[in-house]
Amino acid sequence: MMVPFGRLPPLNALRAFEAVARHGSVTKAAEELCVTQSAVSRHIRTLEERLGFPLFQRTGQGLEISPSSQTFAAVLNETFVRMAQAADALVTTQAHSILTIRAYTTFLTRWLIPALPDFHRKFPHIEVRLVASSEPVNFERDAADVGIRYGSGRWRNWRSDPLFFDDLRPIGSPDYVEQLRGRCLAEALPQCTLLHHNRRPNDWADWLALAGVKGVQPKENLFFEDIGIAYECARAGLGLAMGQHAYVLDDLSLGRLIEPFPEALRRETGYFLVCPESRAEVQKIAAFREWVLGRLQS
């Protein structure tokens, strides 16, 4: 039997309505869907205009849903769950799977890509597609199976597994560091150019506070959108960058970069492997998660 799709309201409007009905709140629905409250309200108005009657009663205390609208929301919830289950079942039946990973560019180039040959040897039936972005992953917007997200690890309806936390120390080329030898930090800083990541504006200030240096200005500051570019500039001898220890291990072991000062800034924020909670046990996602976490423990 053919389904009259032309009579179906927009899917985004249906999802917004179901989330508001389930939470009883536009704010909580917006948080779950990773959109603004105004976007959720706009979807609700679109659905009401399409149906020809209001789905909620607006009162001074908020939204009140009628019994018939609540029944409609329950049917939608069951439908969305069944759609997700059907999609997962389809994926798991395929001998060849495609795993799309969205991550920060520096994470891909300095951490994941060098290790991917091992993943391909162990899971030859899973094709990995990499999407590099400076913006954090958003599963409502991005076509991704898993992502790498920087933060606290607490995201609604996401499974998050910690990879590594902030462990930040200044790094520079051997030649650049050589000119600082024999000087304490307060004496060296006026001779240094500091390389900054625009999206991590407090790293240097927090590290200097940890090191007990106040009121001493560097010779110059340079700013970059991509922290990987800052690392390359440090290797080229243009200044000192604030290095995420997990990203620069190879450079340190090969002597291309040096950590001239011992203080390490450690935070409880870091990098997490994330995916929607509802898809955490999909075979290809579970295999990648087990592999990544296994490498961290080895």
Side-chain angles (χ1 to χ4, degrees):
M1 182 181 72
M2 294 186 64
V3 178
F5 288 108
R7 300 210 312 255
L8 286 175
L11 180 59
N12 285 341
L14 293 173
R15 293 182 70 243
F17 164 70
E18 186 277 333
V20 172
R22 177 160 38 86
H23 289 292
S25 165
V26 171
T27 299
K28 292 182 179 178
E31 291 176 356
E32 175 182 318
L33 299 174
C34 296
V35 298
T36 64
Q37 296 179 39
S38 60
V40 171
S41 297
R42 188 165 57 252
H43 284 315
I44 297 298
R45 288 195 301 271
T46 297
L47 184 57
E48 290 177 333
E49 291 171 0
R50 183 70 173 266
L51 296 174
F53 53 85
L55 293 164
F56 298 97
Q57 295 296 322
R58 278 76 171 174
T59 69
Q61 286 72 43
L63 297 177
E64 292 184 1
I65 188 169
S66 67
S68 58
S69 294
Q70 188 67 65
T71 300
F72 181 41
V75 172
L76 288 176
N77 178 268
E78 180 182 354
T79 302
F80 292 145
V81 170
R82 292 181 63 186
M83 288 170 62
Q85 291 172 341
D88 290 344
L90 177 63
V91 169
T92 57
T93 60
Q94 303 304 304
H96 178 80
S97 296
I98 297 174
L99 179 72
T100 302
I101 304 168
R102 185 181 178 94
Y104 305 107
T105 303
T106 305
F107 180 90
L108 292 177
T109 58
R110 287 186 164 263
W111 199 91
L112 182 58
I113 291 175
L116 274 183
D118 179 65
F119 181 80
H120 287 152
R121 284 191 296 269
K122 293 177 178 176
F123 302 95
H125 63 287
I126 301 178
E127 176 185 343
V128 174
R129 294 183 179 175
L130 303 178
V131 180
S133 176
S134 58
E135 297 295 332
V137 64
N138 179 337
F139 292 108
E140 298 297 324
R141 174 197 66 204
D142 304 323
D145 295 301
V146 299
I148 303 301
R149 183 77 184 261
Y150 176 80
S152 64
R154 295 184 292 273
W155 295 285
R156 186 187 298 272
N157 297 321
W158 289 8
R159 170 161 179 164
S160 62
D161 294 281
L163 302 180
F164 52 87
F165 293 93
D166 276 346
D167 185 349
L168 306 174
R169 315 169 198 204
I171 54 172
S173 70
D175 289 343
Y176 194 87
V177 171
E178 182 63 33
Q179 66 178 315
L180 308 178
R181 294 196 186 280
R183 299 179 182 180
C184 68
L185 179 57
E187 294 174 345
L189 197 60
Q191 311 301 318
C192 292
T193 295
L194 301 188
L195 311 175
H196 301 261
H197 184 199
N198 283 341
R199 295 176 181 270
R200 302 282 294 273
N202 297 322
D203 284 355
W204 268 110
D206 290 349
W207 185 86
L208 288 169
L210 171 74
V213 177
K214 299 179 180 179
V216 181
Q217 297 299 316
K219 176 183 177 182
E220 188 178 3
N221 293 287
L222 298 178
F223 297 85
F224 304 90
E225 280 296 317
D226 189 329
I227 189 60
I229 300 300
Y231 293 164
E232 292 305 309
C233 288
R235 283 180 54 180
L238 297 181
L240 295 179
M242 185 56 62
Q244 183 74 260
H245 197 62
Y247 283 165
V248 296
L249 286 173
D250 285 347
D251 284 318
L252 294 172
S253 65
L254 295 172
R256 295 184 298 226
L257 288 171
I258 293 175
E259 295 173 339
F261 306 108
E263 292 84 359
L265 174 62
R266 297 185 174 93
R267 301 187 181 118
E268 294 183 359
T269 51
Y271 292 84
F272 292 79
L273 177 67
V274 296
C275 69
E277 188 70 51
S278 61
R279 306 196 68 233
E281 299 309 320
V282 171
Q283 186 179 32
K284 62 183 179 180
I285 295 175
F288 182 73
R289 179 173 60 249
E290 181 179 351
W291 173 80
V292 167
L293 298 181
R295 287 192 66 85
L296 289 169
Q297 296 167 5
S298 62

